[in-house]
Amino acid sequence: MRVVKRLLPTLLIAGTALGSAQAEEGMWTFDHLPARQLKQQYGFEPSAEWINHVIQSSARLAEGCSASFVSGDGLVMTNHHCANTCLTDLSDKTHDYFHDGFSAADVFKEPQCPGMELDRLDQVKDVTGRVADMTSGKHGADYAKALQAASSVLTKECAGGDATHWRCDVVTLYHGGQTALYRYRRYQDVRLVMAPDQDIAFFGGDPDNFTFPRYDIDLSMLRVFEDGKPVHTPFFKFNPKGPKAGELVFTSGNPGLTQRSLPASALTFQRDVILPTIIGVYSTSEGALWQYSRESKEHLIEAQNTLFGVQNGLKSLSGTVKALREPGVMEKREAEDRALQAWIDADAERRKTYGEPFKKVEAALAIQRQSYVHDFAIARTVHGLLGDAVMLVSAAQERQKPDAERRAGYHDAELAELEAEISAKVPVHVDLETMTLALGMTTMRQMLGEDDAAVHLVLGTKSPDERAAELMQGTKLADPAQRLALYKGGAKAIQASTDPMIVLARQMQPVLDVIRNPKP
């Protein structure tokens, strides 16, 4: 199962002074650009037309990568690794496009990337007031339900009954202080135009790639089609001369999440529990994938993209742990937390309004400390075809509820996206899926112990290798037509199914529901 990341489109502004290596920069959402500061400091005043052009020339792959339209005929530029999944899916026993690269000779010989979706940003709307009205007076679980209902209403209005062509995301900023509604034009016919070979795109590996980033060709070219023809959209024009020293530069993209506003207690929990747990599991996966990829040329082609992703994750997570262990980092945040609480306590009205937020964080973390490792170990098994099975069971369960009560991802305005994911003709590598499923089950048993109820539920009396082989040999979910039939059949089809993956997903659903909705 491919996880769709809901990221926030922003504009990064960097104005570099002539003769200086330093840059003044900031990250801003499109609807809140610092127009006055830009005019005062740089003599540039972005017009409504300019902002709209930037918005509608910006895009993202549904899996999270930033992208830009760079021609009037649907040509899209993105980073090289953003096409890795496509390159892997299009490869076979005789073609290793991930390693060797790809180039299409003709526009109509550009192959479609299996299961890839590209979303072009169309509009950003501030809905803070409406969300505040719909969640007024709500706290805790009641607030979460009200926010879910608000998301249902807003996304349905935004899609206008045409979720096939429009995708709408409710984005919460500043821990609920601001809420925006982002509308995207969805395209599901995305084709591969060009990608350099891995040694050029990732020259020197991580050390050189990150130290000398401009010594490689870190890009891929895609093209978006609709009704069999390239689309025509606003686009960014190339400047063959490049920017001049001291020139104002804007970068439009989808950044990852920041945790800079987390209190010290939450950062400590990240440093001491969450990150070491994930790093341990990723390290085991790295070793298993490394071994698998050396068993045959075919296994290498199948596993190299997954291995690349795991290694990239390890690099990022290990760097985060190192940063959080730097002397003074936690002490500084603890002092900031104390200062904020003192500011609240200094005014009776503020005390009444905000109370003791850090104590609430501590209470929430106390619950998470009891369940995080247990829940993570179970969730690690839910990927691949078992992930698809869980998604199908969840879809049948959620679609029986009123739209406002459904979990995110299953609202009416999101079902077209879900159906596209279910029916995507993405190749399934049985040997790789079997190995990773067995590894996930082995990890779960090691982390929870043989006597854990969830371990018994998933494994029964079999070993992880035996259970994974049994599930993979018996399932028909590798066929997108079978997945789509189960989805279309709804709860009745899911309950009647004897597919072993669906049977296990049904059995796991109550456990997963508890993980999704923990009780104090």
Side-chain angles (χ1 to χ4, degrees), residues 188-381:
Q188 294 172 295
D189 186 353
V190 182
R191 306 188 188 186
L192 182 63
V193 177
M194 182 282 290
D197 66 71
Q198 182 72 359
D199 290 338
I200 293 176
F202 199 58
F203 178 74
D206 277 337
D208 288 352
N209 181 53
F210 277 79
T211 305
F212 312 107
R214 294 300 140 242
Y215 282 77
D216 53 36
I217 306 176
D218 184 8
L219 66 84
S220 295
M221 290 291 189
L222 308 168
R223 195 183 306 277
V224 177
F225 278 66
E226 189 172 44
D227 299 326
K229 299 177 182 178
V231 300
H232 303 292
T233 72
F235 65 95
F236 294 118
K237 294 181 180 180
F238 276 101
N239 179 356
K241 297 181 179 180
K244 298 176 182 178
E247 193 169 12
L248 184 61
V249 176
F250 297 84
T251 302
S252 169
N254 290 270
L257 300 176
T258 176
Q259 298 175 348
R260 67 178 62 190
S261 62
L262 288 181
S265 55
L267 289 175
T268 301
F269 184 63
Q270 290 254 342
R271 182 194 64 192
D272 297 342
V273 179
I274 294 179
L275 294 173
T277 300
I278 299 174
I279 288 171
V281 171
Y282 272 30
S283 298
T284 302
S285 295
E286 181 186 27
L289 289 164
W290 186 92
Q291 177 61 38
Y292 180 89
S293 66
R294 278 150 182 79
E295 293 172 356
S296 67
K297 176 68 172 178
E298 186 176 358
H299 281 188
L300 171 64
I301 293 173
E302 293 173 0
Q304 55 192 349
N305 180 39
T306 305
L307 178 58
F308 181 86
V310 168
Q311 291 173 332
N312 205 43
L314 278 170
K315 172 187 60 190
S316 172
L317 297 170
S318 299
T320 303
V321 170
K322 183 179 178 181
L324 291 175
R325 289 176 178 167
E326 284 290 317
V329 169
M330 285 301 179
E331 291 79 3
K332 181 174 183 292
R333 180 47 51 91
E334 288 168 354
E336 292 170 345
D337 293 347
R338 288 193 297 270
L340 178 56
Q341 186 63 61
W343 177 81
I344 293 172
D345 293 340
D347 182 87
E349 193 61 32
R350 289 198 295 261
R351 177 78 179 184
K352 180 180 178 182
T353 302
Y354 303 118
E356 297 179 297
F358 297 102
K359 286 189 176 180
K360 291 183 178 180
V361 171
E362 286 285 2
L365 289 173
I367 297 171
Q368 199 172 10
R369 286 189 186 95
Q370 296 174 9
S371 61
Y372 178 79
V373 173
H374 180 270
D375 294 351
F376 179 83
I378 296 171
R380 276 293 296 172
T381 65

Side-chain angles (χ1 to χ4, degrees), residues 59-79:
R60 67 178 183 188
L61 300 180
E63 63 183 39
C65 283
S66 301
S68 301
F69 280 94
V70 292
S71 89
D73 292 317
L75 193 65
V76 169
M77 185 170 68
T78 187
N79 289 103

Side-chain angles (χ1 to χ4, degrees), residues 459-473:
L459 294 178
T461 59
K462 295 181 171 62
S463 70
D465 287 340
E466 291 170 338
R467 184 65 168 133
E470 177 185 63
L471 289 165
M472 288 300 299
Q473 290 168 10

